[in-house]
Each structure stands twice: as C-alpha cells, then as structure tokens.
Amino acid sequence: ILNVEQSPQSLHVQEGDSTNFTCSFPSSNFYALHWYRWETAKSPEALFVMTLNGDEKKKGRISATLNTKEGYSYLYIKGSQPEDSATYLCALRSNDYKLSFGAGTTVTVRA
Amino acid sequence: EAGVTQSPTHLIKTRGQQATLRCSPISGHTSVYWYQQALGLGLQFLLWYDEGEERNRGNFPPRFSGRQFPNYSSELNVNALELEDSALYLCASSWDTEAFFGQGTRLTVV
C-alpha cells in the first residue's frame, strides 16, 4: 500500500470563502486518483476519478486538478457553504489496482 | 441498482470474542476492500480481495482475516477482540477505476 498524504489534516473556513487542500502521492505506478467526500454518519461519496496528467474535474463549486508527474492533486471549494463540511479523502489507485487512501482533510465551514 | 451493503450496522462484542462483518458488493464488482477507521484516525487499509483471492493486506495482526465468496461478497473476521478494535469498518467494492463504499459496521468491544 502506497503512502498517500493529505494536508492540512483539518481546516476551518468562513462561509462564502474559497479554500483548497492537497493530496500527495508517489508518481510511479500511477493509474488513477480518486476524491471522496465523507459526511458524518454517511458512507464516503465519490466526487472525482482522474487518470490523466493535467486533468481538471468540476462538480458544482468543487473542482480538482491532477499532476501525475510531480504526484499531487488539489481540491478546490469555491464559495464554501455549511453543507460542504465533511472529510475529503483522496485515494491512489496504482497500476496493479491497489487502492491506497490518505487520512483525509476535514473541512468545517463556519456560518 | 443496489449499492454496497454491509451487515450488521452495529455490533457489540466483549473482549476475547470473535466478530464477523459482511459486505455485499455492487453487482459486477469483483474487488472488495476493507478499511478500519478508529476514533481520531483516518481510513486504515485492512484487506483487499479480488476474484476470490486475497491480493493484499495492511499492517494488522493475523487475527484480522477474511475471505471472498464465489458471488464476490466478503467477510471480515476479527478474532480475540481487543478494546482497540472498536472502530468503524468500511467495505468498498470496485471494478476498473470506480470504488464505492458501504455504510459501514460500527464495532464496539466492551
């Protein structure tokens, strides 16, 4: 299982502000990068799957970018709302199909 | 289409007992992953099954074991339960790139 790191571990953001956070991973054996949103008392919900260097995905106010050469992905939340409060997980799928998760970034949006 | 289902949703056991957790993947998914989330920690990888075989296991003692059945459903067994095994256990199923999670089993060891 590969070392996937997410930073920061947690962050607080004022409602209406934008924020971003990072997922770092070893770039060798890369197959795909997943982002999940995990709300309390629910199962993690798939946000994005990215496979190509330079990929950018968007879902509403949330977007993600991918750099497979340097081994990082950013997740952006534009105009944060209280319902964005959750733990955001990234997971690396290597080319042997192993799925390795980071510890997550917990986002708290203050009204 | 039914999602990933886990049973039971909650399980209370006493120290030293055995726990069995079950996971039914999405139809057509051949891979099942098990993760543990203990209080205050992130998702820790436990086991990965694919096509009925164990493909990889995380850094957990041998008393954590499991299997995958011909219909791709899976069981996670935890023997000789310890208090620190209290956690949320999540199962995810996958085929190709996408992976989807169940709601989890909350195991409490008293």
Side-chain angles (χ1 to χ4, degrees), chain A residues 2 24-31 67-72 92 95:
Chain A
L2 302 172
S24 302
F25 52 87
S27 54
S28 59
N29 300 321
F30 175 89
Y31 185 84
N67 184 321
T68 60
K69 293 185 178 179
E70 296 182 36
Y72 64 84
L92 169 70
N95 56 20

Side-chain angles (χ1 to χ4, degrees), chain B residues 38-108:
Chain B
L39 191 64
L41 298 177
L43 280 177
Q44 305 293 314
F45 168 72
L46 270 165
L47 289 159
W48 170 35
Y49 291 96
D50 183 59
E51 297 281 359
E53 293 190 18
E54 182 180 302
R55 300 295 184 179
N56 199 14
R57 64 179 292 126
N59 189 26
F60 281 83
R63 55 191 187 80
F64 286 83
S65 65
R67 53 181 172 166
Q68 187 178 34
F69 298 99
N71 66 355
Y72 304 118
S73 66
S74 177
E75 271 183 5
L76 173 69
N77 295 294
V78 189
N79 294 320
L81 284 165
E82 300 178 4
L83 295 177
E84 53 264 33
D85 297 333
S86 296
L88 178 69
Y89 290 83
L90 282 174
C91 159
S93 78
S94 175
W95 183 81
D96 197 19
T97 53
E98 291 277 5
F100 299 88
F101 283 87
Q103 295 271 31
T105 293
R106 174 73 63 183
L107 173 64
T108 302

